[in-house]
Amino acid sequence: MYKEADIANIPVAILCGGKGTRLKEETEFRPKPMVMVGDRPMIWHIMKTYAHYGFQNFMLCLGYKGEMIREYFFNYDWNHNDVLLELGDKKVTKLNNGHEENWKVWLIDTGQETMTGGRLKRLTPYLEKMDSDILLGTYGDGVCNVDITKLLDFHYSHGKLATMTAVRPTSRFGELAIEDNLVTYFQEKPQTSAGWINGGYFVLHRKVLDLIQGDATVFEAEPMKTLAALGELAVYKHDGFWQCMDTYRELELLNKLYAANQASWKIW
């Protein structure tokens, strides 16, 4: 079980390495998590959601154009505070506290062609140094207003190895069969489906990483199918807002909502 004071130390893994080919209007120039929603990149919106509930430890699984994500966080203080730059002495002094983010950001190169499971697996040596038997995780291209502390409470209540958040989007990307709050069947992105789908926002015991063979493992394939078959994949049903950013049309929708102050995910 966790204590509220421990939340800041629970790692949050965010998958940031994909090429985002369906959004090539933007991803030709930047990784999808760096696509702007309003005046901030998508990755910032996701992290702010977790931070709202006290999570401060973020492990970013980098790949395609990962250097842009590195640069963004390396320069975060520089770009969000007033600073005094002394050119001769090459000295920089922060003049104010222009932002409230006190995050630990792990920038982990997980490979250019690595699949989702492989990216999580590559976190293993760093997770072993942390005092947490679980990790949270999500994708770097979707926002949600799920109550993450309630999600965590639910995970500890059932004692299973994994919990996934199920959502009802306007378009369908995957199929879940649910019985007594357990996933009995999982298929990612079938040709047709109905009902609940995989919305990300996972809670995983670190033992789940043992089901991942290596870089070529798609997390949504064998590992999750195995968890479902073993009765170890519970589901947290979220009826609230959830929206991915797979296409330019979906990006436009998110920006319109943000501009109109109707961004349901903006809970901070």
Side-chain angles (χ1 to χ4, degrees):
M1 194 64 178
Y2 75 99
K3 299 178 181 178
E4 289 189 9
D6 297 329
I7 283 181
N9 295 318
I10 297 176
V12 178
I14 305 178
L15 296 168
C16 299
K19 295 180 179 179
T21 54
R22 286 186 288 177
L23 189 58
K24 66 180 301 183
E25 299 93 335
E26 291 284 341
T27 56
E28 182 178 356
F29 308 103
R30 58 186 61 84
K32 195 191 287 190
M34 289 302 297
V35 172
M36 301 297 285
V37 176
D39 58 352
R40 298 294 180 101
M42 169 61 82
I43 186 68
W44 181 88
H45 291 266
I46 297 169
M47 294 167 73
K48 284 289 283 187
T49 299
Y50 281 98
H52 173 76
Y53 294 103
F55 297 91
Q56 301 286 326
N57 219 333
F58 298 98
M59 308 186 82
L60 308 188
C61 303
L62 307 182
Y64 175 71
K65 295 187 181 296
E67 68 278 1
M68 296 185 68
I69 300 176
R70 290 180 183 273
E71 290 173 7
Y72 177 74
F73 286 106
F74 270 114
N75 294 317
Y76 198 87
D77 277 340
W78 174 274
N79 289 327
H80 295 91
N81 290 296
D82 294 337
V83 296
L84 168 63
L85 174 61
E86 300 178 50
L87 297 179
D89 294 333
K90 298 181 180 179
K91 180 181 178 182
V92 179
T93 304
K94 187 166 70 171
L95 299 177
N96 67 347
N97 190 15
H99 66 81
E100 61 183 17
E101 287 73 56
N102 189 27
W103 302 338
K104 294 181 179 179
V105 184
W106 301 63
L107 300 162
I108 312 298
D109 180 9
T110 56
Q112 290 289 315
E113 304 297 333
T114 308
M115 297 292 103
T116 51
R119 294 192 190 282
L120 294 174
K121 185 76 169 181
R122 287 209 191 188
L123 299 180
T124 301
Y126 304 105
L127 291 168
E128 289 174 348
K129 300 176 183 179
M130 305 178 73
D131 187 22
S132 177
D133 62 350
I134 65 165
L135 69 151
L136 279 65
T138 194
Y139 305 103
D141 62 355
V143 284
C144 185
N145 65 353
V146 62
D147 187 323
I148 298 174
T149 51
K150 289 183 178 178
L151 169 64
L152 193 58
D153 286 337
F154 174 76
H155 175 78
Y156 278 109
S157 74
H158 59 63
K160 305 299 181 182
L161 289 178
T163 301
M164 68 182 302
T165 300
V167 298
R168 291 185 185 272
T170 54
S171 57
R172 297 163 181 154
F173 294 91
E175 182 177 351
L176 302 175
I178 299 173
E179 183 176 343
D180 296 328
N181 281 336
L182 285 178
V183 177
T184 57
Y185 172 85
F186 179 87
Q187 182 180 356
E188 184 74 355
K189 299 179 182 178
Q191 293 298 313
T192 59
S193 64
W196 299 91
I197 67 118
N198 170 21
Y201 290 84
F202 301 98
V203 184
L204 307 173
H205 193 282
R206 282 168 50 185
K207 291 179 180 178
V208 171
L209 300 185
D210 295 337
L211 301 175
I212 300 171
Q213 297 301 311
D215 285 356
T217 303
V218 177
F219 183 64
E220 300 80 8
E222 292 308 316
M224 289 188 67
K225 289 180 179 179
T226 299
L227 287 167
L230 294 173
E232 290 290 342
L233 179 56
V235 63
Y236 183 82
K237 295 178 181 178
H238 174 62
D239 275 314
F241 180 86
W242 176 90
Q243 181 61 55
C244 64
M245 188 184 66
D246 275 340
T247 66
Y248 193 77
R249 182 177 181 179
E250 290 166 342
L251 171 60
E252 286 186 316
L253 170 62
L254 290 171
N255 272 300
K256 286 178 181 178
L257 291 172
Y258 195 79
N261 292 319
Q262 296 177 356
S264 299
W265 70 91
K266 190 174 183 285
I267 54 178
W268 56 89

